[in-house]
Amino acid sequence: MVDATIARISGPVAVAKDLEGAHMFDVVRIGEMGLMGEIIRLEGNTAQIQVYEDTTGLKPGEKVINTERPLSMQLGPGLLTSIYDGIQRPLNVLAAESGDFISRGKMIPALDQKKKWDFIPVKKNGDQVSPGEIIAEVQETPLIKHKIMVPYNVSGELVDISEGQFTVNDKVAAVKNGKTTDIGLSSWWTVRTPRPVLRKLAPDQPLLTGQRVLDTFFPVAKGGSAAIPGPFGSGKTVTQQQLAKWADSDIIVYIGCGERGNEMCEVLSQFPELIDPKSKRPLMERTILVANTSNMPVAAREASIYTGITMGEYYRDMGYGVALMADSTSRWAEALREISGRLEEMPGEEGYPAYLGRRLAEFYERGGRSIVISPEERQGSLSLVGAVSPPGGDFSEPVSQNTLRVTRVFWGLDANLANRRHFPSINWLTSYSLYMDDMADWYKSNVSKDWIELRKEALEILQKESELQEIVQLVGYDALPEPEKGILDTARSIREDYLQQSAFDEVDTYTSIQKQHKMLSTILEFGKKEADVIKKGSTSAKVGALESRGMIPKMKWTKEEELEKLLNDINSKMKQEFDTLSKESSN
Amino acid sequence: MANVSYKSLDKVAGPLIFVKGVDNASYGEMVEIKLENGERRQGQVLDTSQGLAIVQVFGQTLGLNTTGTSTTFLGETATLSVSDEMLGRVFDGLGNPKDNGPKIVSKEKFDLVGSSINPYSREEPSEFIQTGMSNIDGMNTLVRGQKLPIFSASGLPHNQLASQIARQAQVLGAEENFSVVFAAIGITSEEANFFIKQFEESGSLERTALFLNLSSDPSMERILTPRLALTTAEFLAYEREQHVLVIMTDMTNYCEALREISAAREEVPGRRGYPGYLYTDLASIYERAGKIKGRKGSVTQLPILTMPADDITHPIPDLTGYITEGQIVMNRELHRANVQPPVDVLTSLSRLMNQGIGEGRTREDHRQLADQLYAAYAQGKDARALAAIVGEGALSDLDRKFLIVANDFEKKFVHQGPNENRSIEQTLSLGWDLLAGLSETELTRIKPEFIAKYAKKTSTGGTNKSE
């Protein structure tokens, strides 16, 4: 048998010859440095390999070793709070071992191999167990209990289980069924294969984010999928980060895919300091970060979203609600295009490979709210939010279009809004959420009976505003009749006092759904009263000068516990002032 | 395969040569090409397989032939000898001295294609750089370790802006080593001379290293020029604790050189003929800005690019904008209206602004004041568009007030002389001056406590609730 060697190198793609018995997507180590790569095309004994690290300095003739295992990752306690690159190498350990610049050919285990975890069985020896059943728990962080599950294809009698301290590589139990299968504290999974579930459920609960424009107008369901396309500078990344900070899910997986180094650094330095509003613990204790910045190797960028989603699925299987943010899927698609180009494949639209749509659909299909595989009814959800960066802000390009086909929520970021610093710059006219009907009942029973109506009313006013704006463009504002001016006032109030939300203000950054309801009803109430007095002969200018009008913007800066007092003040002031106006006008 | 020579070429196509019979050239290896007349040129391996190496030639392929040209594979990837002596010197686009000075001899050799900084080792850029320009300091603040490109177009004064920033930039309350690395990529000698003169006049030439690839120099050198500049910058920043400002102009020429190679290799093109990996390639340049935990220096980048036909959606500005932390956009209309520098504040952005401003850095009200100015300026511009149709008389009172703010904003705030160096206090105070004409209910972006503390009242109403 001849040893496998490199035959050709071109950028991130290498060709190996004499690679016998190789399978598609097997991971190989190439060259003297042992760079990691993955087989993406086979012809006889010749394999094309995408290399996850920079190939500078590799030579034809250097050796290639097949690990004979597809790209897989270790799943177990210690994933949370970690920061990985696209192929699950912990960046903090990498920095400690090889310095500030990423050096090549380093293999570092994803999980701390030495740390001993307190293993607490919930099942005992002799119990009959089935696939997916939870046999033990490990307190992974103060927030999250890590559940140790029976592998998918194993069932039988549980043996050798006992409380104790174990490392991730230790055997913690076994299952006897004719033959004996060991269960470790951690397990392995191939990242390109979705983890199976029993069945998927209807998306009828919202994933609350504390962001008013999202929760009120365009909510995404738990287990749902959303796309945020937008040109650069329109606030995609801030929106994603706000979601990661405030979404009411148990676990957050944040994938920085081909993004800026300084931005990832901001995430890395901010997340550990952020405190979860409910548990008062650092958010990092429920977060996994995957950071593959734009200058890190392109093939690892391609792998990063699979690395991220596999970890998400793993926690979903434990019964947690997981929210995954991928910023940005366009960079992932570009990685796909770059590798496809090096393989000299026939391109589809704009040079993207013909399988772009399929790959995107497969990715989003891995989300959902599901009954996971387990003898007891266990629910978990995996919500996916993908940022898309369309070139030139043009949504007709292939990545945006293929994403919109498979996601049900569209948060359209608008450069015009961003330019005038209306943040979050989500356009209320073009965005949509197809989950609203499924979730109406939830809102009615958990927020308020009039919620759906309020939302509809507010959207109608905004719609009306855009029509009126066209008229204003033609005839001027002064030529508008007073009732129309009143509508413009209310629309402006909705835009400025409600939809605009500062991610950087302590109070404004998060608004509970209850506060949202109170704010929106106050604004609309003011609008109704305005319409009333205008009918009686008053003017929009007079209403605009009211003291209560000036109090409405204060709502968003007011802490939730002080809100009640402010609302009482606004309401009584409003009542008094409008009564006076209405008397004046009718005289 | 150190120093193996090959007597013949198989093919020359555009900037590429194909060398047959090479068995193990390494990817990225440097190559010396010797012409029949003894002239030497440099190249680099772009694609290597057993029996064939494709080499990109830096410089022109004039005079190359397939029989008499020999190639020597040097056995090392591209490196640059770096030393303190580089400051005050002028080099060509390949790093050779251009000022009749001696060659840089040093034991310290740095890889031209730097490894990526581990995101975990990065330090969050947060030191406010006062450029003395209101439109930048006030609205789109620059911080140390940031990469903030200037999106310009032919005929606009981007060079003046860049040189003014280079002259005035300082970190408040800090006396530190500051140096400039300047990379000219395919610009005219006039433009290059302008910069050199500016550096000379401000006395900063001795702390500046210049790499000049002029428009008459071979386009293939342009692939190396920015990397030489950044390798020098990284050396100065991380080994010599300097704060380095890197000015690279014009990145559009760099991208065009990249397209030329891609076309010569017959690759499948992405948008407008640019290679599909343009994003990744640009990222490998821009991402070399930053700061590293535990190291004193920093690399701040100020790339300049000209947008073909003023089109911001063109692949070059578009991909750049997705990589860099914001952009400063120059606008032809403002230029015509004689607003200098003609920076369009609305489409400009600094993503790292929030880290660099606020209490303890600039002032507590900075963020909200800037937001309010943005909103007011945008509204005023809308009013201006409206007035163009219906006449100024038909505007509402409110619109008229915003129109005044917008006009003043351009004339007093953005407009400033080439030698006018405004402190951040002056800039913020100027901002509040502009807002004085608006009443408190119109200042929706600013917390009431800041309005109470900083707002300026005018005699003609302003902050008056009962107009």
Side-chain angles (χ1 to χ4, degrees):
Chain A
M1 191 177 144
V2 200
D3 284 342
T5 52
I6 302 174
R8 180 184 169 195
I9 305 125
S10 169
V13 174
V15 177
K17 60 175 189 181
D18 303 324
L19 199 61
E20 277 173 49
H23 299 82
M24 279 293 276
F25 297 108
D26 275 356
V27 169
V28 294
R29 310 296 305 270
I30 75 169
E32 304 302 329
M33 283 179 282
L35 306 186
M36 202 169 150
E38 193 181 23
I39 297 176
I40 49 177
R41 186 191 281 176
L42 277 173
E43 277 168 45
N45 285 339
T46 305
Q48 300 218 2
I49 298 163
Q50 62 172 354
V51 187
Y52 291 127
E53 299 173 79
D54 182 27
T55 52
T56 304
L58 279 187
K59 286 178 194 163
E62 288 185 32
K63 64 177 185 205
V64 176
I65 298 162
N66 190 354
T67 65
E68 293 175 3
R69 187 150 77 168
L71 184 61
S72 32
M73 49 195 297
Q74 196 175 14
L75 300 169
L79 288 173
L80 291 175
T81 73
S82 290
I83 301 149
Y84 293 116
D85 75 352
I87 44 176
Q88 217 203 1
R89 291 185 299 185
L91 286 171
N92 48 349
V93 183
L94 202 60
E97 288 199 4
S98 73
D100 297 334
F101 293 88
I102 293 176
S103 52
R104 295 183 284 166
K106 281 259 175 207
M107 281 310 287
I108 291 175
L111 299 172
D112 190 335
Q113 306 285 298
K114 296 208 182 87
K115 177 161 182 172
K116 290 205 177 228
W117 298 91
D118 284 324
F119 175 83
I120 299 159
V122 294
K123 289 274 185 285
K124 53 187 190 303
N125 284 326
D127 284 350
Q128 282 296 317
V129 292
S130 341
E133 195 159 356
I134 293 169
I135 56 164
E137 291 177 342
V138 167
Q139 193 75 44
E140 187 175 358
T141 69
L143 281 180
I144 301 293
K145 274 201 174 80
H146 196 104
K147 315 272 169 73
I148 308 299
M149 296 169 287
V150 178
Y152 289 135
N153 46 8
V154 177
S155 59
E157 186 194 343
L158 190 65
V159 291
D160 289 350
I161 187 168
S162 64
E163 197 174 325
Q165 289 197 320
F166 298 99
T167 70
V168 284
N169 292 328
D170 288 340
K171 168 193 161 189
V172 291
V175 174
K176 228 162 66 181
N177 183 7
K179 63 180 172 100
T180 310
T181 315
D182 289 349
I183 299 180
L185 193 58
S186 65
S187 55
W188 288 82
W189 191 264
T190 56
V191 299
R192 291 181 197 277
T193 319
R195 289 173 70 90
V197 293
L198 270 188
R199 62 171 193 278
K200 292 207 171 173
L201 300 169
D204 52 11
Q205 293 169 20
L207 178 75
L208 295 178
T209 63
Q211 309 304 303
R212 293 188 290 267
V213 60
L214 303 185
D215 289 355
T216 306
F217 286 165
F218 313 110
V220 60
K222 283 207 168 117
S225 52
I228 25 182
F232 62 82
S234 57
K236 251 185 326 291
T237 304
V238 176
T239 310
Q240 289 261 36
Q241 291 181 3
Q242 283 294 92
L243 288 175
K245 286 177 197 167
W246 303 117
D248 69 334
S249 56
D250 306 306
I251 308 281
I252 301 284
V253 181
Y254 187 94
I255 309 171
C257 174
E259 283 294 314
R260 305 172 181 88
N262 280 336
E263 215 158 64
M264 271 332 285
C265 162
E266 188 188 331
V267 170
L268 298 182
S269 68
Q270 276 186 6
F271 273 38
E273 285 169 25
L274 289 169
I275 303 296
D276 178 36
K278 276 166 291 180
S279 61
K280 310 290 175 212
R281 300 285 314 172
L283 273 182
M284 204 58 202
E285 290 178 357
R286 55 162 201 173
T287 306
I288 305 171
L289 296 172
V290 179
N292 207 79
T293 57
S294 56
N295 58 338
M296 285 157 74
V298 66
R301 192 196 305 164
E302 196 268 336
S304 65
I305 72 165
Y306 297 107
T307 309
I309 202 164
T310 304
M311 293 190 280
E313 286 176 335
Y314 178 57
Y315 282 94
R316 174 206 63 200
D317 288 351
M318 294 178 205
Y320 288 116
V322 181
L324 178 139
M325 332 279 159
D327 185 13
S328 126
T329 54
S330 295
R331 304 294 157 238
W332 169 79
E334 275 165 13
L336 218 56
R337 172 167 74 182
E338 185 171 337
I339 293 158
S340 160
R342 303 268 186 189
L343 292 177
E344 291 162 11
E345 289 174 342
M346 184 70 84
E349 249 181 301
E350 292 197 19
Y352 286 105
Y355 45 79
L356 171 69
R358 171 176 64 82
R359 291 282 203 96
L360 272 169
E362 280 168 358
F363 170 72
Y364 283 103
E365 193 52 29
R366 288 176 78 166
R369 195 160 71 91
S370 321
I371 301 289
V372 302
I373 292 178
S374 169
E376 84 265 27
E377 277 280 280
R378 192 161 73 232
Q379 267 189 33
S381 70
L382 176 56
S383 321
L384 304 178
V385 180
V388 183
S389 322
D394 168 17
F395 292 166
S396 68
E397 57 91 40
V399 184
S400 303
Q401 284 305 314
N402 281 306
T403 306
L404 290 182
R405 272 164 52 198
V406 290
T407 52
R408 289 181 67 192
V409 174
F410 171 73
W411 295 324
L413 293 165
D414 188 329
N416 278 327
L417 290 174
N419 287 349
R420 55 188 59 206
R421 296 313 188 255
H422 175 111
F423 286 122
S425 60
I426 292 170
N427 186 313
W428 48 88
L429 297 174
T430 56
S431 302
Y432 59 79
S433 165
L434 301 181
Y435 291 113
M436 207 58 212
D437 292 341
D438 291 322
M439 300 191 297
D441 289 336
W442 187 94
Y443 277 104
K444 277 180 194 154
S445 47
N446 289 281
V447 188
S448 162
K449 288 211 167 42
D450 63 353
W451 177 258
I452 303 295
E453 281 309 308
L454 280 177
R455 171 182 180 269
K456 223 166 99 188
E457 204 179 314
L459 277 174
E460 274 167 12
I461 291 172
L462 291 170
Q463 177 64 41
K464 186 86 186 150
E465 182 197 31
S466 84
E467 290 164 20
L468 288 173
Q469 291 291 5
E470 284 173 27
I471 301 177
V472 171
Q473 294 288 333
L474 293 175
V475 300
Y477 175 80
D478 277 353
L480 276 190
E482 285 297 323
E484 262 76 48
K485 287 187 187 168
I487 292 175
L488 288 186
D489 288 343
T490 311
R492 180 168 163 230
S493 181
I494 295 174
R495 281 191 286 111
E496 294 185 351
D497 305 330
Y498 192 74
L499 294 182
Q500 279 176 15
Q501 186 168 3
S502 165
F504 307 105
D505 184 84
E506 225 173 292
V507 178
D508 200 25
T509 182
Y510 176 85
T511 310
S512 73
I513 191 81
Q514 281 75 21
K515 183 178 169 188
Q516 294 185 27
H517 174 247
K518 285 175 190 150
M519 286 175 70
L520 191 60
S521 23
T522 309
I523 291 170
L524 293 178
E525 180 64 25
F526 189 93
K528 276 200 198 95
K529 285 205 155 68
E530 176 170 1
D532 278 348
V533 294
I534 287 178
K535 233 182 257 166
K536 288 181 184 154
S538 189
T539 65
S540 138
K542 280 186 190 162
V543 176
L546 293 180
E547 207 176 313
S548 49
R549 176 66 189 86
M551 291 162 81
I552 285 181
K554 291 188 183 135
M555 289 191 295
K556 62 172 153 183
W557 311 117
T558 306
K559 288 189 187 137
E560 310 243 345
E561 54 269 25
E562 293 159 17
L563 185 68
E564 209 54 48
K565 186 181 167 303
L566 177 74
L567 287 179
N568 286 336
D569 290 353
I570 294 180
N571 279 323
S572 56
K573 195 85 197 164
M574 207 155 82
K575 191 168 178 317
Q576 177 213 331
E577 286 183 321
F578 275 107
D579 280 350
T580 322
L581 261 191
S582 128
K583 269 181 213 141
E584 262 173 37
S585 325
S586 35
N587 284 341
Chain B
M1 50 176 302
N3 295 314
V4 185
S5 293
Y6 290 82
K7 282 269 154 40
S8 66
L9 305 181
D10 180 51
K11 179 171 141 188
V12 185
L16 303 181
I17 57 176
F18 295 68
V19 188
K20 265 201 176 161
V22 188
D23 267 347
N24 52 353
S26 54
Y27 180 74
E29 185 171 345
M30 293 307 282
V31 181
E32 191 175 75
I33 301 144
K34 204 168 145 200
L35 272 61
E36 262 178 326
N37 63 6
E39 198 186 319
R40 285 161 201 270
R41 302 218 176 113
Q42 274 181 295
Q44 190 175 19
V45 176
L46 273 192
D47 191 321
T48 165
S49 49
Q50 281 165 337
L52 179 74
I54 305 177
V55 177
Q56 160 193 348
V57 184
F58 301 116
Q60 43 189 353
T61 42
L62 178 87
L64 261 64
N65 64 356
T66 48
T67 47
T69 307
S70 71
T71 47
T72 307
F73 290 78
L74 299 174
E76 58 173 14
T77 51
T79 52
L80 178 70
S81 299
V82 284
S83 84
D84 293 321
E85 311 296 312
M86 297 181 83
L87 289 174
R89 298 287 307 275
V90 184
F91 305 93
D92 70 3
L94 291 176
N96 305 311
K98 208 178 174 170
D99 52 2
N100 302 322
K103 222 174 150 55
I104 298 294
V105 182
S106 167
K107 278 187 207 138
E108 288 178 287
K109 272 191 166 185
F110 276 57
D111 226 337
L112 270 196
V113 185
S115 315
S116 14
I117 303 177
N118 186 329
Y120 186 80
S121 301
R122 276 183 188 268
E123 187 176 312
E124 204 178 352
S126 62
E127 286 163 290
F128 165 67
I129 300 180
Q130 180 175 297
T131 64
M133 316 275 288
S134 292
N135 72 76
I136 295 175
D137 293 351
M139 310 299 283
N140 292 303
T141 315
L142 177 68
V143 297
R144 248 182 203 166
Q146 186 173 15
K147 40 193 179 292
L148 190 64
I150 299 175
F151 285 10
S152 186
S154 355
L156 296 180
H158 42 264
N159 292 340
Q160 282 82 341
L161 178 65
S163 70
Q164 189 170 359
I165 294 173
R167 269 187 285 122
Q168 298 180 351
Q170 56 157 322
V171 170
L172 293 182
E175 278 293 317
E176 279 161 326
N177 302 325
F178 178 74
S179 51
V180 177
V181 175
F182 178 81
I185 310 163
I187 61 172
T188 61
S189 50
E190 280 172 27
E191 285 177 283
N193 288 340
F194 168 81
F195 275 102
I196 294 173
K197 195 162 154 258
Q198 291 278 333
F199 291 137
E200 248 168 25
E201 278 172 10
S202 61
S204 52
L205 198 60
E206 72 266 21
R207 44 191 183 98
T208 303
L210 296 103
F211 292 87
L212 303 181
N213 167 280
L214 303 178
S215 36
S216 54
D217 292 335
S219 64
M220 285 309 108
E221 285 183 21
R222 290 167 201 165
I223 303 297
L224 283 190
T225 313
R227 297 195 161 86
L228 291 167
L230 286 165
T231 305
T232 311
E234 280 172 359
F235 161 75
L236 292 171
Y238 304 132
E239 305 295 324
R240 293 294 183 270
E241 305 192 340
Q242 301 257 343
H243 294 285
V244 189
L245 178 69
V246 185
I247 301 176
M248 297 184 286
T249 178
D250 173 339
M251 288 305 288
T252 305
N253 294 334
Y254 170 81
C255 296
E256 262 156 25
L258 207 61
R259 177 165 68 175
E260 209 179 319
I261 298 171
S262 172
R265 293 183 71 186
E266 296 169 12
E267 289 171 339
V268 179
R271 280 202 302 153
R272 300 217 191 175
Y274 291 97
Y277 48 82
L278 183 59
Y279 178 86
T280 308
D281 193 278
L282 283 175
S284 72
I285 292 178
Y286 295 137
E287 276 295 333
R288 290 171 80 171
K291 290 188 70 180
I292 295 181
K293 281 181 205 161
R295 303 201 194 195
K296 266 195 179 149
S298 65
V299 178
T300 309
Q301 282 187 20
L302 208 59
I304 301 172
L305 58 89
T306 47
M307 299 181 281
D310 295 12
D311 177 11
I312 199 169
T313 67
H314 185 279
I316 298 170
D318 192 55
L319 295 179
T320 300
Y322 277 121
I323 303 165
T324 54
E325 284 122 3
Q327 67 276 342
I328 294 171
V329 185
M330 299 205 128
N331 179 291
R332 200 172 297 277
E333 269 170 49
L334 286 173
H335 185 56
R336 286 199 195 112
N338 197 28
V339 174
Q340 295 302 343
V343 172
D344 181 5
V345 171
L346 291 188
T347 46
S348 301
L349 172 74
S350 164
R351 292 168 188 274
L352 301 181
M353 178 169 180
N354 289 316
Q355 279 93 297
I357 63 170
E359 213 175 338
R361 299 203 166 91
T362 54
R363 213 167 72 183
E364 52 181 354
D365 58 322
H366 191 157
R367 176 76 259 169
Q368 296 189 0
L369 174 66
D371 283 348
Q372 187 67 58
L373 285 171
Y374 266 115
Y377 180 47
Q379 204 164 345
K381 278 185 82 172
D382 284 353
R384 189 187 291 161
L386 191 56
I389 305 171
V390 300
E392 217 176 302
L395 291 184
S396 68
D397 288 345
L398 193 63
D399 277 346
R400 216 167 300 143
K401 280 200 275 183
F402 279 113
L403 180 58
I404 296 172
V405 174
N407 289 340
D408 285 353
F409 183 80
E410 288 170 5
K411 293 268 152 61
K412 295 179 183 162
F413 191 87
V414 178
H415 186 79
Q416 88 184 77
N419 292 313
E420 192 180 347
N421 191 351
R422 292 182 192 152
S423 73
I424 182 67
E425 283 76 23
Q426 282 171 316
T427 292
L428 293 177
S429 161
L430 208 53
W432 280 105
D433 282 343
L434 298 177
L435 295 179
L438 299 176
S439 73
E440 201 178 319
T441 48
E442 280 137 23
L443 303 181
T444 49
R445 308 300 177 97
I446 309 181
K447 280 188 186 176
E449 56 196 271
F450 292 152
I451 299 183
K453 196 164 166 191
Y454 296 105
K456 301 192 178 176
K457 317 228 167 177
T458 58
S459 48
T460 56
T463 41
N464 182 348
K465 283 170 199 153
S466 56
E467 281 177 82

